[in-house]
Structure formats: structure tokens, C-alpha cells
């Protein structure tokens, strides 16, 4: 009897330990996420699986995964997650011209992750005819977009928040439409696999 119990425990204990380790890794280190939609093309594709590292620091240019419920007012799925690129962090100012040029803290940002000028300009025309000539700022977006939950008057990202855009601007539902991502909603920073195309525009990319 003791021998049978010993044999039973000899294979059960490693399985339990393995499951516990896997759960701890998932809880505190990283998780797998499936990209849903085309908003991050050409760098990430619909249904592509990526790793979100929970311990990585979020920087300008980081691609992040975050809980969308409570951020996007139109999102009704409590389990929905979005994958977008951080273009500005707390305290930054943002201005986007009708020609598709991004300025953060009054400095022109090279958007080399998106080679298509069409994608950089399409979707920059927001809300009203005036923005077709001037582009937009955080002030104008928060005033013109009804889904924004935070009204901005100083054109700055609030402390503890991020402003995100999809790389595929013409189809992306992003910060232009609903505002900022609180730090508390961030799941992790996306890391591409070594064999993935355009991984240089995902891993450690900084604006």
C-alpha cells in the first residue's frame, strides 16, 4: 500500500509543482495574447499570438496589451483586451498634423514602424472640418470626441496614463476616439518572437 502511494505521489507532486510554477509565471511575469483585428498592421497581424511581459517598463513606442473595458466607453465585453502603441506618457504633449506628422513635446517623432504615408494621414481628420486643416491635439480630441472620459485643457497626458494609437491608423479604434489608458489597465508590454517579421518595430522600439 505504501509503495502504491509513493508511486502515486512520485508523479503527482511534479505535476502539481509544474502547474503552480506555470500559474505564478502567468500571474507575475508574462501571458499569451491573441491580436484581434488589423489595427497594428503591418507589424502585427490579426489572430497572431504574442507575449505580454508584465514586468517590462512601458515607454514611448512600446506596444502594450491592456484591458479595454472601462477605457473604451463603447466596449461592452469585460474581458476585452486591446493591443496598441504608446505614443505619449504622463506629462507629454501631443500634436498630430493633417499631413500625418506626430509631435510629442513639440519634437517631431519618426514613425518608421508605419511605412505607408496613407496610413499615417488617413484617420487624422477627426470630428470636424477644422481638423482637416489643422490636424488634432489632445485638447481638440477631448472636446470633439464624445467617448472621451477625461477633458483636457493643457494638451498633456495625465500622470499615470498613456496615449495610444494603432499603427494601421485608418482602421484603428484607439486613443483618438476614447482618450487615455490608465496605468492600472495595462497587462504588459508586447514582445515579438525571434522569427516574427518586423520584430524590430515591436521589441524595444522607442519613439
Amino acid at each position: 500500500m505504501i509503495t502504491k502511494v509513493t508511486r502515486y505521489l512520485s508523479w503527482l507532486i511534479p505535476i502539481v509543482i509544474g502547474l503552480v510554477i506555470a500559474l505564478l509565471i502567468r500571474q507575475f511575469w508574462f501571458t499569451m495574447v491573441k491580436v484581434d483585428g488589423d489595427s497594428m498592421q503591418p507589424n502585427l497581424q490579426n489572430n497572431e499570438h504574442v507575449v505580454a511581459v508584465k514586468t517590462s517598463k512601458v515607454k514611448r513606442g512600446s506596444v502594450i496589451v491592456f484591458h479595454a473595458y472601462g477605457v473604451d466607453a463603447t466596449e461592452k465585453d469585460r474581458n476585452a483586451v486591446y493591443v496598441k502603441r504608446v505614443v505619449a506618457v504622463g506629462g507629454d504633449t501631443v500634436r498630430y498634423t493633417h499631413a500625418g506628422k506626430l509631435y510629442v513635446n513639440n519634437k517631431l517623432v519618426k514613425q518608421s514602424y508605419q511605412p505607408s504615408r496613407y496610413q499615417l494621414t488617413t484617420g487624422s481628420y477627426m470630428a470636424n472640418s477644422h481638423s482637416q486643416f489643422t490636424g488634432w491635439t489632445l485638447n481638440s480630441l477631448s472636446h470633439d470626441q464624445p467617448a472621451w472620459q477625461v477633458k483636457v485643457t493643457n494638451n498633456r497626458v495625465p500622470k499615470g496614463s498613456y496615449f495610444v494609437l494603432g499603427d494601421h491608423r485608418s482602421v484603428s479604434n484607439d486613443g483618438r476616439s476614447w482618450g487615455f489608458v490608465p496605468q492600472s489597465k495595462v497587462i504588459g508590454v508586447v514582445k515579438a518572437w525571434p522569427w516574427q517579421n518586423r520584430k524590430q518595430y515591436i521589441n524595444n522600439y522607442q519613439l
Side-chain angles (χ1 to χ4, degrees), residues 138-190:
L138 300 179
N139 286 6
S140 67
L141 290 177
S142 72
H143 179 269
D144 295 334
Q145 300 298 303
W148 273 56
Q149 302 177 51
V150 176
K151 297 303 178 183
V152 180
T153 58
N154 60 359
N155 196 37
R156 291 187 182 276
V157 180
K159 296 291 185 181
S161 296
Y162 305 104
F163 186 70
V164 300
L165 296 175
D167 291 351
H168 193 177
R169 301 285 156 77
S170 65
V171 301
S172 180
N173 171 32
D174 51 35
R176 294 171 297 179
S177 298
W178 34 255
F180 307 108
V181 179
Q183 188 174 9
S184 60
K185 291 286 188 176
V186 176
I187 298 172
V189 176
V190 171

Side-chain angles (χ1 to χ4, degrees), residues 15-36:
I15 291 175
V16 172
I17 292 174
L19 289 173
V20 170
I21 292 174
L23 289 172
L24 288 173
I25 289 175
R26 180 179 175 85
Q27 179 68 29
F28 298 107
W29 187 24
F30 70 85
T31 187
M32 296 294 297
V33 177
K34 185 176 77 170
V35 178
D36 183 13

Side-chain angles (χ1 to χ4, degrees), residues 44 50-53 62-65 83 188-192 202-204:
L44 293 172
V50 295
V51 176
V53 180
S62 296
V63 176
I64 63 171
V65 179
V83 180
V189 176
V190 171
K191 300 296 181 182
I202 302 297
N203 297 343
N204 303 316

Side-chain angles (χ1 to χ4, degrees), residues 55-159:
T55 54
S56 290
K57 183 179 179 180
V58 178
K59 304 176 182 178
R60 299 183 196 92
S62 296
V63 176
I64 63 171
V65 179
F66 59 93
H67 296 288
Y69 186 79
V71 175
D72 178 1
T74 65
E75 181 57 70
K76 304 305 180 185
D77 182 358
R78 291 178 176 271
N79 297 316
V81 296
Y82 290 177
V83 180
K84 306 292 179 185
R85 188 181 299 275
V86 174
V87 298
V89 301
D92 287 346
T93 63
V94 181
R95 180 169 62 90
Y96 203 93
T97 73
H98 75 285
K101 293 184 177 181
L102 171 66
Y103 291 85
V104 176
N105 298 325
N106 295 318
K107 295 181 179 179
L108 178 64
V109 174
K110 292 183 179 180
Q111 301 177 84
S112 55
Y113 49 81
Q114 177 50 268
S116 170
R117 184 178 183 277
Y118 173 79
Q119 288 303 332
L120 292 177
T121 57
T122 304
S124 64
Y125 305 143
M126 300 297 296
N128 57 53
S129 58
H130 179 66
S131 64
Q132 294 184 15
F133 300 99
T134 64
W136 50 261
T137 64
L138 300 179
N139 286 6
S140 67
L141 290 177
S142 72
H143 179 269
D144 295 334
Q145 300 298 303
W148 273 56
Q149 302 177 51
V150 176
K151 297 303 178 183
V152 180
T153 58
N154 60 359
N155 196 37
R156 291 187 182 276
V157 180
K159 296 291 185 181

